[in-house]
Amino acid sequence: MSSQTRPGGLLAQLAGLVFVTAGLLLVIGGVWSLLVGGPLYYLLTGLGLTLTGLLVWLRNPAALVLYALIGFIALVWSFYISGFDFWGLMPRLNIFLILGILLLLPPVTRALAPNRIATGLLGVVVALIGGLLGSSFFASPHTQEGELSTALINPVPEDPEHVPAGEWKAYGRTHAGDRWSPLKQINSDNVGQLKLAWVMHTHDFPQPNDSAEPTNEATPLAFDNTLYFCSLHQKLFAVDGATGKTKWVFDPHLHDNPTYQHLTCRGVSMHETPANAVDSSGQPVSQTDCAKRLVLPVNDGRIIEVDAATGKKCTAFGQDGEVDMRVPFQPYTTPGQYEPTSPPVITDKYVIVNSAITDNGSVRQASGATRAYDIYTGKMVWVFDAANPDPNEMPSPEHPHFHPNSPNSWAISAYDKKLNLVYIPMGIGTPDEWGGYRTKDAERFVPGILALNADTGKLAWFFQTVHHDLWDMDVPAQPSLVDVTRQDGTLVPAIYIPTKTGDIFVLDRRNGQPIVPISEQNAPQTPAPGDWVSPTQPHSRLSLRPKERLSEKDIWGATIFDQMVCNIYFHSLRYDGIYTPPSIQGTLVFPGNLGMFEWGGMGVDPQREVAFVNPISLPFVSQLVPRGPGNPLWPDPQAGAHKSTGETGLQPAYGIPFAIRLHPFLNPLLEKIGIPLPCRTPPWGSVAGLDLRTNKVVWEHPNGTMRDSLHKSSLPLPLPPFHIGVPSLGGPLVTAGNLAVLTSTQDDEIRAYNLTNGKEIWQARLPAGGQATPMTYAINGRQYIVTYAGGHGSFGSRMGDTLLAYALPNNTASATEGAKTVQSGTSASTTEGKTEASSGSTP
């Protein structure tokens, strides 16, 4: 038998072919990398692997020595770039480990007939590569260890809304937006014993005529032993808090169509009629008609009031219980352009409503004006129209409409009942990425926080978080109102403002003056044609943003090949650090358009004056696409009939010189087969603990796994549940039991953490994505933790329809009886006079 036909010879030739193929791929990519300003590393490595493959094919033992040298250089270079960061080392070394093992297979070494020195040298290098990967797996370079103080600095925090301990009466439990509960039956010592108490299904799923981005983000309210929350199509459910049994369902019959950018309901608001109440006209209000009412925002532009007891409309409000906020005051009334998505602020007298406006649609869009309506009659009592020279100007025969395309607030506002100030997180008027058309009036109050008198809408103060925003850096989260103790023992009424940039601005909420230092720092210049940029941007000393700008060490992939593709992609974009202007070339935006903080906000323990947050670290790409000679700047009347693409992809931005292409900074090769792998080295999401007295980050840990990230891909393979740290969309719950709870990660999990040190201490699987902020309440002495697992179309998580309640094992007879009742059957539910069957169930 000739040497060419021996099994070892065939395997050696096959190994040589593998080396040559890998080398040529790196040579081609390496040349491309050099052309866009990338490193020489890929070309040199590719040449080395190609030569190694040729030597193996010729069964020359020098192949082992050459590969040992290449592997050692790769080892040194990778360690220099990534240190002991396993996720940074993995794509740079995994292929070298595999190819080294291939060369050391006995049939290959016999075919090459090397001496012991060559074999031993390669064996040492392969062992070093394997050892570095193995040891780095147990290192935690992205983990910051520490412990928050457990002392009750402010044991009786002020609560002007007087919410009972076992209830949850606003999106953040109160309008202070702290998402904190004084309940502590479930605590960091016993949370591991939590069991599923009941589940409830809405049976409300995405439909063919829906928006491209259906999202389930609702946080229930809890009072009178009942939960109230809205589903995907804004159906309002009343659910028995002890059993999960549906009491009634109200269907607003959403006027839905595919042009809506979102289909979202983050929750509802409630109001209880006080004694001797009068409306804005001074007329007495009935104490029995809708004594407790729910305010439901509907994406087609309506708000509806519903009696919490019966599920029927409060007919005295507006027209038969409804106010259509698009007419007669909106200049453009296309359904979906003006979408109330967040629960409004409720004062003793008024409903204060904001709305989402279609991003990057055109310069001719609905106004984002904030409005206050009489809680009893639906009469509009004041307005704040941010782009109007007189923002409080009410519509009149001379000026019947609000200012077109006026900046809006789509997130949840906060309210200080004692100061009677409402704090509104503002975003810019659309389009977002090119601002050459904007007037000074349109940019006076954006993006940032507006503090308005809740009775009049008059401006108390304003703080701007970004100057001339070109990156969609709306203030996305409900701010948190916290009384912070100074060193001299006095309490300062503060407002914490989490932003997309990762900065948390801390101000005195009475006057907007900074508490934590804010500096103006130089920003990159050279804007797109026709635009301008601010020379400086504000930076808070309290920030979760990485301190260093992205570099080659931050570019990632599953292997060296797709890491090389991401590196080429990185160098082909414009990137000069944070606030790099959008460009025709394409700009890397980090923090990205999704932001480091989103609508979920912070979880704050006001007694300990500490906070729990879940920042995101995912870059985006923003590209301005010049319009061609035949492209109109404004579409024909049928242009709005096409299905919306959501907030990513090519955005029309009619009325400016560019269309806008937006998307996350993902691996372009893997994205084509449905694998959403970011081009940035993990972690892409974390949890962190903040000391609000020192305003420092005390601990931070990567959070979440990729185990559910491929469920939509063409390769739906199970992934190991490694804590790589993934993005999260939703907010935390914090309790007096030293507990934080979060369900917002890309994996279908609910997790609990020790608030003091951030350690994960309990988790459970969810039936779908949990992109909703959890809440807690108590009935008959039993505490429940609830979350809505409905999935999120913008986030790519699994869609569902399930409300889940967790509790410690049954400890009261009433709780046990409630569970038995649930298992036995269904109940009658009223929907506007109709009867529906619905049920709860106990696993």
Side-chain angles (χ1 to χ4, degrees):
M1 181 183 295
S2 69
S3 61
Q4 285 84 355
T5 58
R6 290 197 304 269
L10 290 176
L11 186 57
Q13 289 181 332
L14 180 60
L17 185 61
V18 169
F19 271 81
V20 169
T21 302
L24 290 177
L25 288 174
L26 289 176
V27 167
I28 295 170
V31 172
W32 192 356
S33 175
L34 285 176
L35 291 176
V36 296
L40 183 62
Y41 175 75
Y42 301 109
L43 176 59
L44 295 179
T45 302
L47 291 173
L49 289 182
T50 302
L51 180 56
T52 301
L54 292 174
L55 292 174
V56 171
W57 180 272
L58 297 172
R59 291 191 299 284
N60 187 324
L64 274 66
V65 177
L66 176 60
Y67 188 72
L69 177 61
I70 295 170
F72 184 73
I73 293 172
L75 176 72
V76 173
W77 174 252
S78 299
F79 185 75
Y80 172 76
I81 292 290
S82 302
F84 280 102
D85 180 1
F86 172 78
W87 298 111
L89 291 170
M90 185 190 69
R92 293 175 170 88
L93 289 178
N94 53 13
I95 292 298
F96 292 99
L97 179 64
I98 293 169
L99 293 179
I101 292 173
L102 175 62
L103 279 185
L104 288 173
L105 291 176
V108 176
T109 54
R110 283 198 299 269
L112 298 178
N115 57 43
R116 292 183 179 181
I117 295 177
T119 305
L121 186 62
L122 178 59
V124 169
V125 171
V126 169
L128 287 174
I129 293 174
L132 180 58
L133 286 172
S135 60
S136 67
F137 184 77
F138 299 99
S140 301
H142 300 288
T143 295
Q144 177 182 340
E145 301 289 357
E147 291 195 352
L148 296 169
S149 170
T150 58
L152 301 186
I153 308 301
N154 185 13
V156 187
E158 195 167 22
D159 178 20
E161 297 175 46
H162 304 296
V163 177
E167 296 188 342
W168 194 281
K169 287 192 171 182
Y171 174 79
R173 186 171 174 271
T174 71
H175 284 305
D178 54 21
R179 282 159 284 281
W180 174 80
S181 170
L183 297 178
K184 51 187 175 183
Q185 180 185 86
I186 303 171
N187 55 59
S188 57
D189 292 328
N190 62 23
V191 67
Q193 302 174 41
L194 279 186
K195 303 295 182 184
L196 195 57
W198 54 258
V199 298
M200 174 267 181
H201 295 278
T202 68
H203 305 291
D204 188 1
F205 291 98
Q207 301 299 316
N209 201 45
D210 282 348
S211 153
E213 294 188 359
T215 68
N216 290 286
E217 301 178 358
T219 296
L221 305 185
F223 57 91
D224 295 340
N225 297 338
T226 305
L227 301 184
Y228 302 92
F229 78 107
C230 47
S231 63
L232 186 64
H233 293 88
Q234 286 102 70
K235 294 180 181 180
L236 177 55
F237 290 80
V239 178
D240 186 298
T243 67
K245 188 186 302 182
T246 302
K247 293 183 175 183
W248 54 255
V249 184
F250 172 82
D251 188 347
H253 301 291
L254 169 71
H255 305 303
D256 187 22
N257 67 66
T259 66
Y260 284 36
Q261 194 166 58
H262 302 99
L263 200 60
T264 299
C265 187
R266 296 186 180 92
V268 297
S269 303
M270 70 86 64
H271 178 271
E272 184 172 358
T273 305
N276 304 316
V278 295
D279 63 25
S280 58
S281 300
Q283 297 298 311
V285 174
S286 168
Q287 300 295 306
T288 57
D289 181 23
C290 288
K292 293 182 180 179
R293 62 188 69 208
L294 302 163
V295 183
L296 172 69
V298 186
N299 287 175
D300 56 25
R302 293 175 290 159
I303 52 172
I304 303 176
E305 287 195 353
V306 178
D307 191 321
T310 66
K312 296 182 179 180
K313 288 182 183 178
C314 300
T315 55
F317 180 79
Q319 298 295 317
D320 190 29
E322 303 186 4
V323 169
D324 187 340
M325 296 184 293
R326 294 177 301 138
V327 293
F329 310 119
Q330 286 289 4
Y332 307 108
T333 58
T334 302
Q337 279 196 358
Y338 182 88
E339 295 185 64
T341 56
S342 293
V345 162
I346 307 295
T347 73
D348 289 341
K349 300 182 289 186
Y350 301 140
V351 183
I352 301 174
V353 189
N354 300 308
S355 177
I357 304 295
T358 302
D359 276 329
N360 291 322
S362 77
V363 299
R364 297 176 60 187
Q365 304 236 159
S367 172
T370 294
R371 281 165 277 176
Y373 295 92
D374 185 308
I375 188 72
Y376 305 111
T377 68
K379 176 185 176 182
M380 190 169 68
V381 290
W382 61 255
V383 63
F384 193 93
D385 190 357
N388 191 324
D390 176 6
N392 296 120
E393 181 184 17
M394 295 286 279
S396 65
E398 295 77 21
H399 299 96
H401 300 309
F402 296 134
H403 198 284
N405 214 44
S406 191
N408 69 300
S409 173
W410 55 266
I412 303 98
S413 298
Y415 173 56
D416 186 323
K417 186 173 183 178
K418 183 177 178 181
L419 295 175
N420 198 33
L421 292 178
V422 59
Y423 303 94
I424 301 175
M426 293 295 293
I428 58 170
T430 190
D432 299 313
E433 277 73 25
W434 189 85
Y437 71 97
R438 299 178 197 158
T439 66
K440 289 184 177 180
D441 286 333
E443 293 199 303
R444 283 178 304 170
F445 301 117
V446 292
I449 286 288
L450 274 173
L452 304 181
N453 182 292
D455 286 343
T456 66
K458 298 294 184 181
L459 178 67
W461 55 262
F462 170 72
F463 177 80
Q464 189 171 67
T465 54
V466 178
H467 308 320
H468 191 61
D469 179 15
L470 301 174
W471 306 271
D472 192 19
M473 292 297 150
D474 305 339
V475 177
Q478 181 184 33
S480 295
L481 312 183
V482 192
D483 293 338
V484 179
T485 304
R486 291 184 183 271
Q487 291 185 349
D488 62 6
T490 58
L491 284 175
V492 177
I495 179 171
Y496 281 73
I497 307 165
T499 66
K500 286 187 176 183
T501 63
D503 286 318
I504 300 176
F505 294 96
V506 187
L507 313 175
D508 187 319
R509 66 178 183 266
R510 296 169 295 189
N511 52 31
Q513 293 302 307
I515 294 174
V516 173
I518 298 167
S519 61
E520 288 284 337
Q521 298 181 21
N522 292 335
Q525 299 297 290
T526 316
D531 207 346
W532 61 277
V533 291
S534 172
T536 64
Q537 293 289 353
H539 292 253
S540 174
R541 184 178 294 178
L542 177 58
S543 181
L544 275 295
R545 184 176 60 252
K547 302 304 179 185
E548 298 179 2
R549 56 182 286 177
L550 297 180
S551 65
E552 287 179 8
K553 72 175 183 180
D554 300 298
I555 305 306
W556 199 66
T559 67
I560 190 175
F561 304 108
D562 53 310
Q563 195 263 352
M564 175 182 64
V565 170
C566 282
N567 202 294
I568 293 170
Y569 191 15
F570 172 68
H571 283 282
S572 70
L573 298 170
R574 181 182 175 191
Y575 178 66
D576 302 314
I578 187 173
Y579 298 119
T580 303
S583 61
I584 297 172
Q585 172 186 351
T587 291
L588 187 66
V589 181
F590 182 70
N593 296 59
L594 187 62
M596 294 201 72
F597 289 104
E598 261 292 336
W599 49 265
M602 301 166 58
V604 177
D605 185 331
Q607 293 181 322
R608 295 166 59 182
E609 299 181 14
V610 299
F612 178 98
V613 295
N614 53 304
I616 310 167
S617 297
L618 185 63
F620 262 60
V621 175
S622 172
Q623 184 179 16
L624 301 177
V625 182
R627 299 193 186 280
N631 271 349
L633 300 186
W634 175 246
D636 63 79
Q638 299 300 314
H642 302 297
K643 192 173 180 68
S644 168
T645 59
E647 286 191 78
T648 58
L650 187 64
Q651 315 285 297
Y654 295 113
I656 68 172
F658 306 95
I660 300 167
R661 182 174 285 116
L662 294 172
H663 53 85
F665 184 45
L666 301 179
N667 188 303
L669 289 181
L670 298 181
E671 190 179 11
K672 292 183 182 301
I673 57 173
I675 300 179
L677 197 68
C679 276
R680 180 181 183 246
T681 303
W684 308 302
S686 62
V687 291
L690 312 181
D691 185 326
L692 303 186
R693 289 176 298 151
T694 63
N695 290 297
K696 292 182 178 179
V697 179
V698 174
W699 54 258
E700 185 170 10
H701 306 145
N703 185 59
T705 73
M706 291 189 67
R707 65 181 299 180
D708 298 306
S709 296
L710 300 185
H711 74 96
K712 283 187 174 181
S713 77
S714 57
L715 298 172
L717 303 174
L719 293 175
F722 297 140
H723 269 64
I724 191 171
V726 298
S728 58
L729 197 60
L733 161 69
V734 171
T735 77
N738 190 37
L739 205 62
V741 182
L742 191 67
T743 62
S744 62
T745 51
Q746 280 186 315
D747 52 356
D748 303 337
E749 301 277 350
I750 178 172
R751 293 180 170 90
Y753 311 81
N754 182 308
L755 181 58
T756 299
N757 56 32
K759 302 294 185 183
E760 183 182 312
I761 50 180
W762 174 77
Q763 72 178 74
R765 290 289 285 166
L766 297 173
Q771 281 69 55
T773 302
M775 50 81 70
T776 188
Y777 63 96
I779 295 178
N780 298 325
R782 191 180 193 201
Q783 182 182 356
Y784 299 81
I785 291 175
V786 167
T787 196
Y788 185 33
H792 203 284
S794 316
F795 210 49
S797 61
R798 204 182 320 268
M799 300 302 290
D801 74 325
T802 311
L803 191 70
L804 305 98
Y806 299 87
L808 297 174
N810 287 336
N811 54 5
T812 65
S814 61
T816 303
E817 282 303 309
K820 291 179 180 178
T821 301
V822 171
Q823 290 176 323
S824 65
T826 63
S827 66
S829 306
T830 303
T831 307
E832 278 290 278
K834 300 179 181 179
T835 300
E836 265 185 31
S838 64
S839 64
S841 59
T842 301

